[in-house]
Structure formats: structure tokens, C-alpha cells
Amino acid sequence: MRYSGFRVIKEALTGHKGWTPAWRDPEPKNEYDIVVVGGGGHGLATAYYLAKEFGHARIAVLEKGWIGGGNVGRNTTIIRSNYLLDGNEPFYEFSLKLWEGLEQDFNFNAMVSQRGILNLVHTDAQRDAARRRGNAMILNGSDAELLDTAGVRALYPFLNFSNARFPIKGGLLHRRGGTVRHDAVAWGYARGADQRGVDIIQNCEVTGFRIENGKILGVETSRGYIGAKKVGVAVAGSSSRVMEKAGMRLPIESHVLQAFVSEGLKPMIPGVITFGAGHFYCSQSDKGGLVFGGDIDMYNTYAQRGNLPVVEDVIESGVALIPALGRVRLLRGWGGVMDMSMDGSPFIDRTQVEGLYFNGGWCYGGFKATPASGWCFAHLLSTDRPHEVATAFRLDRFRSGRMIDEKGVGAQPNLH
Ligand SMILES: Cc1cc2nc3c(=O)[nH]c(=O)nc-3n(C[C@H](O)[C@H](O)[C@H](O)COP(=O)(O)OP(=O)(O)OC[C@H]3O[C@@H](n4cnc5c(N)ncnc54)[C@H](O)[C@@H]3O)c2cc1C
């Protein structure tokens, strides 16, 4: 069934009896050509592009819980292409271009909203860094504008401009950045993949890999053994635990990141805004809630819940930037498990096991990467060669000294 305005009107007039399930609930088959482990955004996008762009059939996505239950449905929904380094920016620009056509491509309303993202600067040195980053973005085909204090005030008059501890000296505006409804991305890719014959199998946990003579034969799951010629793993915060079952130790640590939503307010924040003197980012959802977050909790964990000191820290930063936030009530908050890599950049690579491929290390920036990650992982699974915008995302880059350290803080996963 194709979705359209006409279909919505027709169903409204005929008692909504014509809607069909958005995807099937198939039993797992004994064998597939390609098994994708993890039904998050990246796994579902991979399956979608494998079927649509690379012409593969006999594909399954195995998800231990329900699709959208992981980070794809837990993030603060920000998309952007405002990276500095050559290893990253062409990839994120490719992703943003895919976001721009995604809803038409998979025929699902994901509420892609390019409302702009503004990174504030509070010192002269920060302004220099923002200018350098903006130039790198423009050279890579993205967009960037450097605003002065008056330019920021025109867009966000309610920020703390008077007698602030961290005076606002300007900001780097990336107009094509914005937000996307996160769980709709999982649903849209799932529906699109299912329409092309992909089996999406929920409540199916991968518990081990069957490997013989260095070659993958299939996966052990909570619903029995499933054979596969190729297996792609995209399990985000569970990466180290899953790849350990294939005998691999990854340069990844898992940390929890929290997100928060306030009570609904009248339209207040036009775009996405980030504080440059503390870790705080905020946008406003279409229902009116302020959606915001900050730092990860600073210890390793696989728990999908966070702790109060970070709640305090995030809200302190928020109130320093937007004093009016002190009057707003917090409605809810939650946590997700982040696959923090040592240099803050991801991996899309083969492994030493023939036929086993890995996608992970997305830290807290993998939502914006979803379309490009799926496309590039599908390219790798299909052709055995990295896509041209993902050639730097190698697992051996720490051995060869080719780190992609966007923040320049070294091998400190908690600081990226
Ligand atoms: C609070 C928060 C805010 C964030 N904000 C942003 C943001 O604003 N912008 C941005 O770009 N990124 C953001 N991120 C990061 C982004 O959400 C993640 O990097 C991205 O979603 C990870 O990829 P995924 O969607 O495939 O992960 P997930 O949705 O977590 O998918 C992985 C799936 O693998 C499944 N799985 C795990 N183990 C197994 C197994 N053994 N067998 C089968 N299935 C398994 C899990 O159940 C899960 O569904 C945020 C994350 C959090 C938690």
C-alpha cells in the first residue's frame, strides 16, 4: 500500500478499514544470503538499501527486542552535516542529502525538518575554530554561516545576553541541519525493506556465530540456528558484547546518554541550538516539548537509564543559556547505551572472519548518520569494497595511526 494525502482522505471517509500492517511478522527461514543483526536505524537502513539499491534478495534483519526500541527511538533527533575532518564530512554530507529525499524515497512521513542548527561561540578562540570548521564544511559541499552577537540575538532573543557568565560572541549556523522524528525512521525503513521482501524478525536475539575455517556459516539465535552467506552486525551499544561472540575485542566502550523532554510550550525555539560553554543542546518538538540533552554519564555501562548528577549538570547548562528554562517543568527523561569509539568516529568495515562485517562506534552521533551508514554498509556487504565516503572508517586505524579525532582530545571515548 502506498501512503498519500489521497489515501488518508479516502480512509477517513471509509472508516479506516483499508489500512494494512506496515510490515509482516514472518517466521525465520533456515537460511538467508545476508543476515543483518540489529533492527535499529542502521540495520534496517542497511537491509532497505541492500534490497533497493544493490538488488539483493533473501535478506533478514534479526532484532532481539522490537524495532525502534534501541537508540534509534531514544535520541534527541538532531541531523546535521557540520564536521571538520575529511574522513567525516563527506560521509555526513552524503547522509544529509539522503535525508533530504528520504520521505519521498521510502514513502513515509518521517517529519524531516531542516530548521537549522546553531552552535554558539563564547570566546575569540572558539570563533576562530568555528570559522575554520565552517570553511571545511563549505569546501565539502555543506553550508555554514558565521553569525555575530546581533545575528544570534535576532534568531534567539531569549538567550542570556545580559551579564552572562559566558557572553555569547556569535555562532556557526548550519541552515540545512535540523530534526527528524526518530522512531518514524525505523518504521519507514522497516516498511520499505519489508515491501522489497526483507524478513524483519523481532524477538530474535543473536547468541553466537557459527564460524568454520575463518568463514561465517550463520548465526545462533534465541529462535534457532539461521544459516547465512554474509552477516552484517549493527547493534550500536551492544557492539562489544555481540562481537565478543565472534572472538573480537573492539576499540569501543559503552556509556549511557540521557535525553529529556519538557512539558509542552508554545513555539519558542525555532531551530536546534547548542551551548558552546557547556554541553547542552535543545530543540522544540512539534508537540511543543523542549527536547534536550548534554554529556554522557561518565562511566561504562550497558544500562538504559542514567543518574541524577548528569540531570543536574544538563539542566544547569540549560538554565545558564536560557534563563526562562528555570520556569519549565521536566516531563520525562530516558537513557540509551552509546557505542563510544576511542576517537569518536565510527567503523564500517570487514572483520578477520570471512563474510562477517561490522558497523558501529557511532557514539552519540549515529542518528544523523542512519541513511549514509545503511547505504555504505550495504555497499560493503554487496561489493566487499568500502563506499568512497566511508573509506576512513576502518577497524585498524588505531594500529596504523589514522585516527579521525574530530575533537582532538585523543583516545578518550568519554570526551568525544
Ligand atoms: C539520548 C540519546 C540522544 C542521542 N541524540 C542524537 C542526536 O541528536 N543526533 C544523532 O545523530 N545521534 C544521536 N544519538 C545517537 C544515535 O541514536 C545512535 O548513534 C544510533 O541510533 C545508533 O544506531 P542504531 O539506530 O542502529 O541503534 P539501535 O537503535 O540501538 O539499534 C541496535 C539494535 O540492535 C539490537 N541488538 C542488540 N544486541 C542484539 C543481539 N544480540 N541480537 C539481535 N539484536 C540485537 C538492539 O535491540 C537494538 O534494537 C543519541 C543517542 C541517545 C541514546
Side-chain angles (χ1 to χ4, degrees):
M1 171 191 279
R2 270 196 74 74
Y3 293 160
S4 64
F6 172 74
R7 169 71 67 180
V8 172
I9 295 166
K10 185 174 173 224
E11 289 302 328
L13 296 174
T14 54
H16 291 287
K17 297 202 177 75
W19 299 115
T20 54
W23 55 85
R24 297 163 297 131
D25 187 18
E27 284 300 310
K29 299 192 178 80
N30 292 336
E31 201 185 330
Y32 291 91
D33 285 351
I34 304 178
V35 159
V36 179
V37 185
H42 293 224
L44 292 164
T46 302
Y48 174 76
Y49 292 122
L50 273 170
K52 178 167 181 280
E53 302 296 333
F54 296 91
H56 286 274
R58 290 173 32 90
I59 305 164
V61 177
L62 309 183
E63 164 54 48
K64 80 170 174 187
W66 67 96
I67 61 167
N71 290 343
V72 67
R74 291 169 181 267
N75 60 68
T76 37
T77 77
I78 301 166
I79 62 163
R80 56 190 168 88
S81 160
N82 60 357
Y83 283 69
L84 169 71
L85 300 179
D86 284 344
N88 277 329
E89 182 53 22
F91 173 84
Y92 287 101
E93 182 54 26
F94 178 51
S95 205
L96 193 53
K97 290 209 168 78
L98 290 174
W99 282 117
E100 285 167 345
L102 186 66
E103 293 167 301
Q104 289 70 28
D105 186 53
F106 65 22
N107 180 233
F108 200 89
N109 180 10
M111 296 164 74
V112 177
S113 166
Q114 292 181 286
R115 54 184 72 179
I117 173 164
L118 178 66
N119 301 129
L120 294 173
V121 300
H122 306 267
T123 65
D124 293 342
Q126 252 183 343
R127 189 193 295 110
D128 288 347
R131 178 174 284 131
R132 181 170 173 237
R133 179 146 63 108
N135 285 334
M137 289 159 62
I138 290 168
L139 286 171
N140 276 302
S142 187
D143 69 287
E145 282 167 52
L146 198 61
L147 302 185
D148 58 11
T149 310
V152 173
R153 195 192 281 268
L155 282 176
Y156 293 93
F158 51 83
L159 299 182
N160 192 2
F161 290 97
S162 57
N163 196 24
R165 170 74 180 81
F166 304 103
I168 295 168
K169 296 205 160 193
L172 188 66
L173 179 62
H174 170 44
R175 289 194 191 269
R176 287 162 60 241
T179 57
V180 180
R181 179 169 175 181
H182 49 196
D183 35 20
V185 174
W187 301 332
Y189 274 124
R191 177 170 165 271
D194 178 88
Q195 281 172 348
R196 288 165 179 81
V198 174
D199 282 357
I200 296 164
I201 301 164
Q202 304 182 75
N203 298 311
C204 182
E205 179 172 2
V206 169
T207 53
F209 297 94
R210 200 174 285 182
I211 298 165
E212 253 177 46
N213 300 324
K215 194 170 185 298
I216 196 88
L217 299 180
V219 290
E220 308 288 351
T221 82
S222 52
R223 295 173 68 172
Y225 174 74
I226 300 174
K229 293 189 181 115
K230 290 185 174 180
V231 175
V233 177
V235 293
S238 303
S239 292
S240 10
R241 287 209 283 204
V242 172
M243 294 311 281
E244 191 181 34
K245 299 179 201 303
M248 284 183 68
R249 191 156 172 255
L250 298 174
I252 286 177
E253 286 182 5
S254 286
H255 288 253
V256 69
L257 176 69
Q258 304 187 55
F260 308 96
V261 179
S262 78
E263 61 185 325
L265 304 172
K266 286 183 180 169
M268 171 186 177
I269 300 191
V272 183
I273 186 156
T274 76
F275 191 22
H279 205 162
F280 177 80
Y281 38 90
C282 188
S283 64
Q284 189 166 16
S285 79
D286 292 339
K287 283 193 284 184
L290 302 182
V291 181
F292 56 93
D295 264 328
I296 50 177
D297 289 28
M298 293 287 174
Y299 56 89
N300 298 359
T301 178
Y302 291 107
Q304 292 192 128
R305 60 175 185 276
N307 280 297
L308 285 172
V310 171
V311 181
E312 187 179 13
D313 184 62
V314 171
I315 289 171
E316 265 173 12
S317 291
V319 174
L321 179 65
I322 311 172
L325 212 60
R327 304 284 299 276
V328 176
R329 276 171 296 191
L330 190 63
L331 197 64
R332 56 202 173 97
W334 60 85
V337 186
M338 318 310 316
D339 37 334
M340 304 297 295
S341 65
M342 294 295 141
D343 60 358
S345 294
F347 306 99
I348 301 179
D349 204 358
R350 289 186 288 246
T351 69
Q352 75 269 25
V353 177
E354 195 186 328
L356 179 62
Y357 302 78
F358 176 69
N359 173 320
W362 293 101
C363 303
Y364 43 74
F367 178 62
K368 71 180 85 68
T370 305
S373 167
W375 188 300
C376 294
F377 202 33
H379 183 283
L380 181 70
L381 279 156
S382 179
T383 66
D384 264 315
R385 282 179 289 108
H387 188 280
E388 59 180 1
V389 298
T391 51
F393 299 157
R394 302 284 310 274
L395 275 161
D396 69 356
R397 65 175 181 261
F398 300 98
R399 202 181 314 139
S400 59
R402 293 193 173 85
M403 303 219 312
I404 320 168
D405 186 355
E406 190 74 27
K407 285 197 179 164
V409 294
Q412 294 280 338
N414 56 318
L415 297 182
H416 283 289

